[in-house]
Amino acid sequence: MNNLVKEKLKNGERVTGCFIGMYAPNIVEMIGYSEYDFVVIDDEHGAFSTSELENMIRTAESVHLVPIVRVSYDPSSIQKALDRGALGIQVPMVNTKEDAERAVEMAKFPPLGTRGAAYSHRAARFGTDKGKAFLDQSDEHILVIPHIETKEAATNFKEIMDVEGIDLAFLGTTDLSVNMNYKEEGPKHPEVQKVVDDLYEIARENHYKIGTVAGDAESAQKAFDKGADYVGIIAVSVMLDAFKNVSKECKRKLSKKV
């Protein structure tokens, strides 16, 4: 078991991945061939059965992507994602220190957590790996990433990040803007940006790792310039923009011939 994203973050490197919320192993392969570091399989908003989730993780591994799952609100979702072979979890709506502690408890084996131990699943290579070595390696390599996406979470940011076992904060700026009642203006609203800037500043001062989402290369670069260590590009946004641009260009050329 090896988590290259966790290693890179520990070494001060920045990492880039893609979010995907549809069952599309071929797209995961293309993301891997495009030399991203990780893929976030979105089981919060996406539609996946447990077997589909497992196959997406398996595909990510085949193209050297670190598989990370944004889990759902089902209490068993963390266990199922990790047993399927995920090397990280992104946990939505972590608002308090207690929420962060609960996430760590679900992701880590005793004594740090309460994750149920079993060796018959694919994370343990169906029993090939077992015992203390497997349990300790899992605890060492799994990334636990709380989503900071409400004003309450922003207020409790330092307490959340100081919980043992938390590796990285993920700023969900769309949810944050909605939570702050800026549904129309979205993340660009000055008040939302002020909260985001304050979180980056706290992260810098306390050497916390921090990540966020981006729709394209320009917004990803802006996030890195702010101090992000981990940026997830929305795969659907990239594809939709590409489709639109090709369609627009085709229509433009056709109109010139008329």
Side-chain angles (χ1 to χ4, degrees):
M1 183 182 295
N2 193 27
N3 190 333
L4 291 176
V5 165
K6 194 163 187 174
E7 286 184 15
K8 286 183 177 183
L9 290 170
K10 281 184 177 180
N11 292 333
E13 298 178 57
R14 293 174 173 181
V15 293
T16 308
C18 278
F19 272 82
I20 183 164
M22 64 182 75
Y23 181 63
N26 289 346
I27 294 177
V28 173
E29 286 187 278
M30 287 187 277
I31 292 168
Y33 296 142
S34 300
E35 299 185 355
Y36 287 87
D37 298 294
F38 63 91
V39 62
V40 179
I41 304 161
D42 187 358
D43 201 29
E44 180 192 12
H45 296 292
F48 297 99
S49 67
T50 304
S51 59
E52 288 173 341
L53 185 68
E54 182 172 297
N55 204 33
M56 292 282 279
I57 291 169
R58 182 181 290 111
T59 304
E61 292 171 349
S62 75
V63 288
H64 309 296
L65 287 168
V66 172
I68 294 170
V69 175
R70 176 156 71 174
V71 297
S72 72
Y73 299 97
D74 184 322
S76 69
S77 64
I78 291 175
Q79 175 88 49
K80 288 183 177 179
L82 296 178
D83 286 355
R84 304 284 76 74
L87 287 178
I89 52 166
Q90 292 193 193
V91 185
M93 294 295 170
V94 173
N95 294 317
T96 65
K97 174 185 176 182
E98 290 73 25
D99 290 343
E101 289 173 339
R102 195 173 304 114
V104 173
E105 286 173 4
M106 296 291 289
K108 304 287 186 177
F109 294 110
L112 183 57
T114 59
R115 179 182 169 190
Y119 308 116
S120 59
H121 48 68
R122 73 175 303 272
R125 298 195 297 168
F126 306 106
T128 304
D129 300 328
K130 60 180 66 175
K132 186 176 185 299
F134 168 74
L135 302 176
D136 289 349
Q137 283 184 6
S138 294
D139 283 347
E140 179 183 353
H141 291 290
I142 297 301
L143 280 164
V144 180
I145 305 169
H147 276 223
I148 307 299
E149 48 194 353
T150 68
K151 192 68 184 291
E152 181 183 11
T155 300
N156 295 324
F157 182 58
K158 195 171 185 304
E159 287 187 356
I160 291 169
M161 293 306 296
D162 285 340
V163 169
E164 183 181 0
I166 294 296
D167 296 291
L168 171 84
F170 189 86
L171 305 187
T173 53
T174 298
D175 270 310
L176 179 61
S177 66
V178 172
N179 180 261
M180 292 177 66
N181 206 28
Y182 297 118
K183 300 174 184 178
E184 185 67 32
E185 303 91 335
K188 293 182 180 180
H189 190 282
E191 289 299 318
V192 179
Q193 284 299 305
K194 183 180 185 306
V195 172
V196 169
D197 289 343
D198 288 347
L199 291 171
Y200 275 109
E201 183 61 30
I202 294 169
R204 276 191 294 271
E205 290 174 354
N206 292 276
H207 307 289
Y208 300 143
K209 299 297 182 182
I210 196 165
T212 194
V213 69
D216 53 29
E218 182 180 354
S219 56
Q221 188 58 55
K222 286 180 180 179
F224 283 129
D225 290 344
K226 275 181 178 286
D229 304 282
Y230 171 109
V231 174
I233 310 294
I234 304 170
V236 169
S237 296
V238 173
M239 291 186 291
L240 189 59
D241 284 345
F243 290 146
K244 287 180 177 178
N245 288 337
V246 171
S247 174
K248 184 177 180 180
E249 184 65 14
C250 288
K251 289 177 180 178
R252 185 186 66 81
K253 289 182 177 179
L254 286 171
S255 67
K256 284 185 175 182
K257 294 180 179 180
V258 175

